[in-house]
Amino acid sequence: MTNLLSRVPKTVSLILALCIFFISFILSIMLGKTPISISMVMEAFFNYDETIAEHVIITTSRMSRAVIATVIGASLAIAGALMQALTRNPLAAPDIFGINAGAIFFIVASATLFSVNSLVHYMWIGFIGAGIAATIVYFLGSIGRDGLSPIKIVLAGAAITALFISFTQGLLVINEQGLQSVLFWLAGSVAGRSMDMILPILPFIIGAGLITLFLGRSINILVSGEDIAKSLGQRTILIKTTIGVVVVFLAGGSVAVAGSIGFIGLIVPHIVRGLIGTDYRWVIPFSALFGASLLLLADVAARFIIMPQEMPIGVMTALLGTPFFIYIARRGLTKND
């Protein structure tokens, strides 16, 4: 892709990205089964009246939904950018670490074997499952004389993902009632989530996000090649380990709250690099803004596709991401021919 904004000052581009995010956030609050005007939104913020139905909808449902979509979209996009840098693979995304599959398996296991049916409990169980899966992948990818390598961690991630998916399918075949209790979560959704769900893990996500802002220069060196990075004195093992831990907190926390939402981590980093270049000091903040905006808009679209019901947001992101995935894969194969 041509770097469309490469000639525009980065601060100006960042302001434009902030404007896109702000518009997406407001649209998420305004649009839905009950349309709400912008003036009513402003009134709910600055002159709340509990007797007005629209004010109640905004404060009890749509505001928390928009905030959660913002946090999750930004987290998944940053995690995807980090994964693509770590593996030097354009098709890499957070689930390459087995994070989604690990979280899903642990949640399905808790629902089918121990009759857990609380979203809050699912959140913590999914977070633990994501961390365990990522730890296994990291361990398998580090075995051998050459230590952690992009190819080994990709293969380890694919193997663990397939393993956890097989276990999950086996549990759901044994206990079909368990499928009904976690079905909407498996498809990915921010509907019905309250701020109480994300607040316990928000410090982990914010902390991980802040760390990424200081990793930009180190990632720029790392993606130039491990030999070059080592010759410049970079402690590559430390940087890779830090990136892996950050990905677990960002993507694992997101999956634990909203379920399996794919392709945000794949699409957004490519869009950002195509617009502003490959400097990760800028790729990371732009990925956060674009990821949040994309998930907010996908959530809005999910409300209208099959009204009065809602389509799971994970299905919407899959509809958007699958053609993009095919395009990236075909382009990669063409380059290799």
Side-chain angles (χ1 to χ4, degrees), residues 42-129:
M42 294 298 103
E43 285 183 17
F45 286 156
F46 300 107
N47 190 24
Y48 177 73
D49 186 346
E50 63 181 9
T51 63
I52 300 177
E54 288 84 354
H55 288 194
V56 175
I57 292 174
I58 292 171
T59 56
T60 61
S61 175
R62 291 194 185 171
M63 175 56 71
S64 59
R65 185 169 179 169
V67 170
I68 291 173
T70 296
V71 173
I72 291 172
S75 298
L76 290 175
I78 294 174
L82 294 178
M83 284 301 307
Q84 290 169 17
L86 179 65
T87 63
R88 296 195 292 277
N89 183 343
L91 298 178
D95 47 354
I96 200 70
F97 254 0
I99 289 174
N100 286 19
I104 289 171
F105 168 70
F106 274 73
I107 288 176
V108 171
S110 68
T112 57
L113 301 178
F114 304 103
S115 301
V116 176
N117 58 12
S118 166
L119 285 177
V120 176
H121 291 156
Y122 285 160
M123 178 196 69
W124 285 111
I125 293 169
F127 196 44
I128 293 170

Side-chain angles (χ1 to χ4, degrees), residues 100-330:
N100 286 19
I104 289 171
F105 168 70
F106 274 73
I107 288 176
V108 171
S110 68
T112 57
L113 301 178
F114 304 103
S115 301
V116 176
N117 58 12
S118 166
L119 285 177
V120 176
H121 291 156
Y122 285 160
M123 178 196 69
W124 285 111
I125 293 169
F127 196 44
I128 293 170
I132 291 174
T135 301
I136 295 173
V137 170
Y138 181 84
F139 173 75
L140 294 177
S142 302
I143 295 176
R145 293 181 180 179
D146 55 346
L148 185 66
S149 68
I151 294 178
K152 285 165 61 178
I153 199 169
V154 168
L155 293 175
I160 294 303
T161 297
L163 181 66
F164 276 129
I165 288 176
S166 298
F167 287 164
T168 301
Q169 291 174 341
L171 286 174
L172 292 177
V173 168
I174 294 172
N175 186 354
E176 294 183 2
Q177 292 181 350
L179 174 63
Q180 297 300 319
S181 63
V182 297
L183 184 60
F184 206 68
W185 185 93
L186 289 173
S189 176
V190 295
R193 270 63 170 172
S194 66
M195 289 299 295
D196 291 339
M197 281 197 64
I198 200 170
L199 284 177
I201 64 170
L202 193 59
F204 298 103
I205 292 178
I206 292 176
L210 291 175
I211 290 173
T212 63
L213 297 178
F214 297 97
L215 288 176
R217 183 176 179 275
S218 298
I219 294 175
N220 287 338
I221 296 173
L222 184 65
V223 296
S224 65
E226 191 159 346
D227 292 337
I228 295 175
K230 288 181 178 179
S231 69
L232 294 174
Q234 184 181 82
R235 301 169 65 182
T236 56
I237 298 298
L238 177 61
I239 297 299
K240 290 179 180 180
T241 302
T242 302
I243 291 174
V245 172
V246 167
V247 168
V248 169
F249 282 125
L250 291 176
S254 299
V255 173
V257 172
S260 182
I261 297 177
F263 293 103
I264 295 293
L266 172 68
I267 297 173
V268 174
H270 283 283
I271 295 174
V272 170
R273 288 192 296 267
L275 291 174
I276 59 106
T278 58
D279 187 344
Y280 275 83
R281 292 174 297 180
W282 292 100
V283 168
I284 290 171
F286 273 91
S287 293
L289 290 172
F290 277 59
S293 301
L294 181 58
L295 196 60
L296 284 166
L297 294 176
D299 184 40
V300 171
R303 303 172 193 178
F304 292 95
I305 298 296
I306 54 173
M307 283 188 71
Q309 296 180 332
E310 290 190 17
M311 180 179 290
I313 194 172
V315 176
M316 285 301 305
T317 57
L319 291 174
L320 294 171
T322 300
F324 192 88
F325 181 88
I326 295 172
Y327 165 74
I328 294 297
R330 287 178 59 86

